[in-house]
């Protein structure tokens, strides 16, 4: 049905993708030969392909709640993390990805995980701040599906091919790096250099789709925002939530919002499947 699928980034909004994928997969056999994920969409594509979305959501919903703090100043002064979401996300990724998960992914399809590399000469934290600032300004002012500011500043996209990875730890590092937004998600080194959220270049990374679409393949792009203008390309289908997802990207205090994002994805996926 679809030869390739892209999972855009979006933090907690990506639970919409999990619901959407599950609803479509219940009705049609989804067997893409290429899957691209970025930021939290990288984890969403992994648990969706493995069919373990319900177990992952149970872990997330049990770990989040109003007793948590998104910014924990008192814990930080005591030597703990300033942003608890980072260690929580790392623990979740470590639980989801083991040798069995890696082997199954490598046999199922060709998964690419997007990361960003800094312009040469920029210190990591300064570069991350510049990249995040540029991304936020462009999204708020221009609302593009595919931003350009990061590229113009010299940020480079890189795609980690899961079939090239040797160990579950390699895959865990790639997933964390793909969502690295300091101070929320810690900096990870890949290949001896720091790697950052792939969304600093493009939060909807379609570059790997080129060969598939050139050969006449059909591709599906799962967004996590509502856009007024969505690009058109031969053979490519963009889908987006039917309404804005209210949960914030890194909010660990709002399990209700995460559950709502998933349930909206189920409804939107069912409606989309009915049109196929």
């Amino acid at each position: 049905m679809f030869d390739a699928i892209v999972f855009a980034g979006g933090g907690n909004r990506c639970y919409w993708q999990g619901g959407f994928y599950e609803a479509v997969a219940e009705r049609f056999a989804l067997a893409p030969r290429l899957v691209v994920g970025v930021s939290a969409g990288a984890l969403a594509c992994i648990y969706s392909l493995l069919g373990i979305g319900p177990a992952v959501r149970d872990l997330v919903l049990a770990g989040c709640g109003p007793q948590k703090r998104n910014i924990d100043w008192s814990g930080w002064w005591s030597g703990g993390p300033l942003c608890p979401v980072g260690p929580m996300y790392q623990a979740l990724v470590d639980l989801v990805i083991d040798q069995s998960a890696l082997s199954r992914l490598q046999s199922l399809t060709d998964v690419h995980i997007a990361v960003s590399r800094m312009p040469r000469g920029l210190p990591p934290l300064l570069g991350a701040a510049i990249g995040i600032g540029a991304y936020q300004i462009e999204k708020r002012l221009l609302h593009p599906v595919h931003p350009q500011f990061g590229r113009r500043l010299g940020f480079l996209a890189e795609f980690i091919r899961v079939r090239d990875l040797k160990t579950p730890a390699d895959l865990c590092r790639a997933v964390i790096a793909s969502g690295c937004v300091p101070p929320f998600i810690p900096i990870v080194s890949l290949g001896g250099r720091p790697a950052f959220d792939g969304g600093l270049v493009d939060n909807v990374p379609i570059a790997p789709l080129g060969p598939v679409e050139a050969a006449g393949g059909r591709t599906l792009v799962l967004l996590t925002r509502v856009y007024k203008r969505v690009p058109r390309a031969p053979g490519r289908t963009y889908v987006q939530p039917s309404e804005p997802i209210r949960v914030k990207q890194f909010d660990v205090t709002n399990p209700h919002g995460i559950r709502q994002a998933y349930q909206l994805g189920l409804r939107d996926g069912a409606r989309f499947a009915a049109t196929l």
Side-chain angles (χ1 to χ4, degrees):
M1 176 169 293
F2 292 103
D3 299 286
I5 301 177
V6 172
F7 286 71
N12 285 329
R13 297 196 307 269
C14 292
Y15 291 105
W16 176 89
Q17 296 170 328
F20 185 96
Y21 189 95
E22 287 176 23
V24 176
E26 284 181 359
R27 295 160 176 80
F28 299 95
L30 293 175
R33 65 176 188 266
L34 171 68
V35 178
V36 185
V38 64
S39 196
L43 183 61
C45 84
I46 288 172
Y47 66 66
S48 296
L49 289 169
L50 295 176
I52 58 172
V56 172
R57 282 189 300 279
D58 285 346
L59 289 169
V60 171
L61 294 175
C64 294
Q67 77 281 4
K68 299 288 186 179
R69 294 182 179 179
N70 292 322
I71 304 293
D72 187 1
W73 290 106
S74 61
W76 183 63
W77 282 111
S78 301
L82 176 63
C83 302
V85 66
M88 291 172 65
Y89 189 57
Q90 178 74 67
L92 177 66
V93 171
D94 289 342
L95 281 172
V96 170
I97 298 171
D98 56 14
Q99 185 58 55
S100 174
L102 175 59
S103 299
R104 286 184 60 205
L105 280 175
Q106 292 174 330
S107 65
L108 281 171
T109 188
D110 190 13
V111 179
H112 292 206
I113 296 176
V115 300
S116 294
R117 298 292 193 177
M118 291 287 170
R120 293 284 183 182
L122 272 183
L125 287 178
L126 175 60
I130 292 172
I132 294 165
Y135 171 83
Q136 292 294 339
I137 291 170
E138 186 174 12
K139 281 290 185 182
R140 290 181 183 278
L141 294 182
L142 303 177
H143 313 289
V145 173
H146 300 290
Q148 298 293 323
F149 283 9
R151 291 187 185 88
R152 292 173 182 171
L153 290 171
F155 289 84
L156 299 175
E158 184 176 316
F159 293 90
I160 310 299
R161 190 169 182 246
V162 172
R163 282 180 171 165
D164 292 336
L165 301 178
K166 304 300 183 185
T167 69
D170 293 336
L171 179 53
C172 289
R173 281 194 295 272
V175 171
I176 295 298
S178 184
C180 174
V181 180
F184 297 101
I185 306 298
I187 297 175
V188 176
S189 179
L190 296 179
R193 291 189 293 142
F196 292 86
D197 194 311
L200 299 185
V201 174
D202 191 347
N203 201 42
V204 188
I206 57 170
L209 301 183
V212 176
E213 293 175 341
R218 296 181 63 191
T219 60
L220 177 67
V221 180
L222 305 182
L223 304 171
T224 62
R225 294 176 183 265
V226 177
Y227 294 91
K228 292 182 179 179
R229 295 181 298 276
V230 176
R232 294 187 178 185
R236 185 186 306 164
T237 300
Y238 289 87
V239 293
Q240 61 185 356
S242 56
E243 60 187 61
I245 298 172
R246 303 300 178 185
V247 67
K248 295 180 180 179
Q249 289 168 280
F250 301 108
D251 191 356
V252 300
T253 70
N254 186 10
H256 178 65
I258 292 171
R259 188 181 292 108
Q260 283 187 319
Y262 165 69
Q263 291 171 344
L264 179 63
L266 282 177
R267 296 194 297 271
D268 289 345
R271 283 193 288 265
F272 178 77
T275 69
L276 298 176

